[in-house]
């Protein structure tokens, strides 16, 4: 998932100061029943999008925390229960404890870390129990990991990642059949992969490559694709790319704007397997993966179907315009503005938000954040984000493409529709709405509905299994 998932931008004053350039980073959240589908051309909504009471995208029982970032994280954890990637009672008990202690990055990190530790230490010798306790532990460590840079123990970031990864690996090993793990060549740092199969028959099957965003962990890929793929007789490939998972937190490799160089070796790896139907390899991208996956498909035409969840053309536009305006062609000038005019005015919450958002694009930003400091080279980090713009290459995509959108999409509003309009291939557009509880970036409260929409479309596009 995208680090911006919790950091929704909001409109800024007409005459902003440097401080107001950061305003809104802490605001916001911000086919199937309830979806608005477009096949070939825009169509009217099948069910009108119902506005939430009082204008809130998370009304009533959906409001676990008043802080929108903490609330989004908890809703995401709660939504994973349908895939056995969390337990409702565990999440709500954690929420109660955090609220009682005073909700902030420290209490959130500590409570979910404690839940991860608790489950990781509960080995029973029963395969299924240990399997799903490991999956839930990886979820809770991922929740703690997301907020740790805003806590008083930011140096624990890599340790939290490794704890979650150990439990994910244990879960993958305990699957039946066990996930196949490997390292796929990529530059100087190979990509770790986990290949999930419905069985060991060796029968060629359609296969989906699942692409995460800028802060999601592997457990999110189980919730948003692996389980659904296996249920339908598909294979699923999960991987860490640059700026993600192991490559970011351990190997210190940041995002690449040339994602075709990431996906290409994954396709090569799949094509060497006899249990993969070489004509039916699909690619999905969740959160900022909705920028990465389309970039790959624009240049690698072995992809037979593409899903952008949501469609994202330019991640830089998710940052407030006043912040974007301090980026100039001159590195020294830009960094002087950043260090002398912006950074001194940041409060702790604003500082955390910016550290987290820029972390996948800058090793300096990550290492400084782990020391409790703000990075100084804004120019280089911002230029890396700018380089992720795929507006100019979307027309090259040949694979049939589904573009998802969400009511109350806070980070890329309007971009899914813009991507859809730019496509020159077979295309469909679906908007998930509050009418069925599927609002917000990536539908955190409705991942099952999300997967139904995506995999129904993939089956209709690439064909259903026979027999």
């Amino acid at each position: 998932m995208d680090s911006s998932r919790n950091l929704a931008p909001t409109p800024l004053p007409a005459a902003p100061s440097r401080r107001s350039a950061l305003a809104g980073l802490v605001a916001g959240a911000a086919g199937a029943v309830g979806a608005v589908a477009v096949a070939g051309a825009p169509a009217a909504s099948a069910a009108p999008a119902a506005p939430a009471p009082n204008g809130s995208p998370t009304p009533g029982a959906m409001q676990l925390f008043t802080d929108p970032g903490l609330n989004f994280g908890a809703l995401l954890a709660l939504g994973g229960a349908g895939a056995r990637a969390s337990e409702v009672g565990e999440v709500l008990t954690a929420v109660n404890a955090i609220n009682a202690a005073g909700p902030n990055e420290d209490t959130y990190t500590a409570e979910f870390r404690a839940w991860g530790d608790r489950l990781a230490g509960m080995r029973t010798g029963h395969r299924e129990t240990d399997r799903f306790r490991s999956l839930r532990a990886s979820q809770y460590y991922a929740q703690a990991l997301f907020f740790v840079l805003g806590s008083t123990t930011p140096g624990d970031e890599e340790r939290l990642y490794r704890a979650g990864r150990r439990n994910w690996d244990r879960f993958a090993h305990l699957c039946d059949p066990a996930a196949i793990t490997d390292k796929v060549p990529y530059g100087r740092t190979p990509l770790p992969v986990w290949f999930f199969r419905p069985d060991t028959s060796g029968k060629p099957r359609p296969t989906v490559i699942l692409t995460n965003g800028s802060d999601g962990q592997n457990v999110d890929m189980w919730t948003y694709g692996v389980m659904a793929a296996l249920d339908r007789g598909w294979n699923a490939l999960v991987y860490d790319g640059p700026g993600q998972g192991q490559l970011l937190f351990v190997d210190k490799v940041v995002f690449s704007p040339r994602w075709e160089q990431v996906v290409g070796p994954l396709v090569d790896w799949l094509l060497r397997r006899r249990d993969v139907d070489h004509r039916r390899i699909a690619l999905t991208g969740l959160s900022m993966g909705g920028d990465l996956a389309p970039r790959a498909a624009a240049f690698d035409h072995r992809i037979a179907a593409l899903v952008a969840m949501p469609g994202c053309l330019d991640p830089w536009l998710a940052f407030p315009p006043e912040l974007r305006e301090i980026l100039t062609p001159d590195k020294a000038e830009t960094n002087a503005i950043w260090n002398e005019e912006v950074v001194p005015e940041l409060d702790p919450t604003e500082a955390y938000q910016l550290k987290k958002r820029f972390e996948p694009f800058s090793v300096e930003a990550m290492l400084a954040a782990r020391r409790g400091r703000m990075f100084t080279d804004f120019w280089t980090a911002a230029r890396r984000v700018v380089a992720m713009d795929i507006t100019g290459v979307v027309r090259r995509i040949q694979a049939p493409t589904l573009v998802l959108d969400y009511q109350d999409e806070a980070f890329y509003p309007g971009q899914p529709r813009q991507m859809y309009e730019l496509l020159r291939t077979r295309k469909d557009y679906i908007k998930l709405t509050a009418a069925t509880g599927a609002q917000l970036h990536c539908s955190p409260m409705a991942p099952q509905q999300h997967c139904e929409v995506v995999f129904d479309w993939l089956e209709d596009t690439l064909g259903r299994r026979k027999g």
Side-chain angles (χ1 to χ4, degrees):
M1 301 287 282
D2 193 340
S3 63
S4 61
R5 66 185 188 181
N6 295 359
L7 319 176
T10 56
L12 301 174
S17 64
R18 291 297 183 198
R19 182 176 182 82
S20 72
L22 306 164
L25 288 175
V26 298
V33 175
V36 181
V38 180
S45 168
N54 302 320
S56 170
T58 53
M62 298 176 183
Q63 193 69 232
L64 303 176
F65 297 107
T66 56
D67 178 272
L70 300 180
N71 196 59
F72 187 99
L75 290 176
L76 187 70
L78 199 61
R84 300 180 70 180
S86 71
E87 179 79 286
V88 171
E90 292 169 354
V91 174
L92 293 182
T93 299
V95 168
N96 285 342
I98 294 165
N99 276 321
N104 55 43
E105 287 82 5
D106 263 309
T107 56
Y108 192 102
T109 297
E111 183 65 20
F112 274 105
R113 182 178 197 164
W115 273 102
D117 290 345
R118 184 177 296 121
L119 291 174
M122 296 172 70
R123 299 289 184 249
T124 68
H126 296 277
R127 184 187 185 98
E128 284 300 285
T129 298
D130 289 347
R131 176 189 176 201
F132 283 101
R133 282 184 178 173
S134 296
L135 183 65
R136 301 202 309 275
S138 70
Q139 171 76 263
Y140 303 145
Y141 282 127
Q143 290 296 321
L145 173 63
F146 187 88
F147 292 99
V148 71
L149 291 185
S151 76
T152 54
T153 58
D156 286 350
E157 183 177 57
E158 184 176 339
R159 285 188 286 274
L160 280 170
Y161 166 74
R162 289 183 181 275
R165 169 67 179 272
R166 283 194 298 271
N167 281 274
W168 166 257
D169 284 340
R170 179 172 176 79
F171 165 75
H173 175 72
L174 291 173
C175 286
D176 186 15
I180 293 173
T181 58
D182 202 353
K183 294 181 179 179
V184 173
Y186 172 75
R188 298 180 180 178
T189 310
L191 310 175
V193 299
W194 297 262
F195 182 70
F196 294 85
R197 308 154 290 164
D199 55 45
T200 58
S201 67
K203 174 184 176 181
R205 297 178 182 275
T207 301
V208 59
I209 303 172
L210 300 165
T211 303
N212 219 325
S214 73
D215 63 30
Q217 303 306 314
N218 299 132
V219 62
D220 298 324
M221 295 296 90
W222 173 263
T223 302
Y224 282 88
V226 177
M227 189 181 78
L230 296 176
D231 286 346
R232 298 184 188 226
W234 285 48
N235 303 317
L237 184 72
V238 175
Y239 69 100
D240 287 341
Q244 302 171 327
Q246 177 183 311
L247 270 74
L248 176 65
F249 295 115
V250 179
D251 301 324
K252 301 178 178 61
V253 180
V254 298
F255 271 122
S256 167
R258 300 184 180 275
W259 210 256
E260 68 276 11
Q261 296 176 358
V262 179
V263 169
L266 300 175
V267 176
D268 293 340
W269 188 88
L270 289 173
L271 292 178
R272 291 193 289 269
R273 297 192 59 85
R274 67 184 183 92
D275 54 0
V276 172
D277 185 336
H278 299 175
R279 299 167 300 173
R280 294 195 289 173
I281 297 176
L283 177 65
T284 69
L286 183 68
S287 193
M288 207 191 86
D291 171 273
L292 306 174
R295 166 74 197 200
F299 292 92
D300 194 326
H301 297 149
R302 295 174 296 177
I303 300 301
L306 169 69
V307 186
M309 314 181 303
C312 170
L313 295 171
D314 186 358
W316 186 228
L317 295 179
F319 291 81
E322 291 81 9
L323 187 64
R324 302 198 306 267
E325 287 170 5
I326 77 170
L327 178 63
T328 74
D330 187 282
K331 180 177 181 179
E333 177 187 358
T334 297
N335 286 341
I337 296 171
W338 170 252
N339 291 302
E340 297 170 16
E341 300 183 45
V342 176
V343 173
E345 295 193 41
L346 296 175
D347 66 32
T349 299
E350 292 167 338
Y352 156 64
Q353 304 286 7
L354 289 169
K355 292 172 187 176
K356 186 62 182 174
R357 292 194 71 172
F358 280 103
E359 176 184 44
F361 302 96
S362 166
V363 172
E364 187 231 350
M366 179 178 72
L367 296 181
R370 289 179 178 181
R371 296 191 296 269
R373 302 173 184 172
M374 178 59 70
F375 60 98
T376 59
D377 186 1
F378 175 86
W379 189 88
T380 299
R383 292 287 296 174
R384 176 66 58 161
V385 184
V386 170
M388 307 302 291
D389 185 351
I390 63 169
T391 307
V393 302
V394 170
R395 291 182 177 87
R396 298 177 58 130
I397 296 172
Q398 296 181 7
T401 300
L402 170 63
V403 179
L404 287 193
D405 198 353
Y406 310 97
Q407 184 178 346
D408 299 307
E409 167 59 45
F411 307 103
Y412 314 122
Q415 292 198 45
R417 172 65 71 173
Q418 292 165 12
M419 176 181 286
Y420 172 81
E421 296 293 346
L422 286 173
L423 289 166
R424 295 294 178 264
T425 186
R426 172 185 163 187
K427 57 186 180 179
D428 294 282
Y429 172 96
I430 295 177
K431 186 167 187 176
L432 298 172
T433 75
T436 56
Q439 71 270 37
L440 302 181
H441 182 65
C442 298
S443 300
M445 297 175 285
Q448 294 179 79
Q449 183 186 152
H450 196 280
C451 286
E452 290 166 0
V453 170
V454 169
F455 281 88
D456 283 356
W457 183 89
L458 286 173
E459 284 187 337
D460 290 342
T461 301
L462 297 183
R464 305 183 186 185
R465 62 181 175 180
K466 298 179 181 178

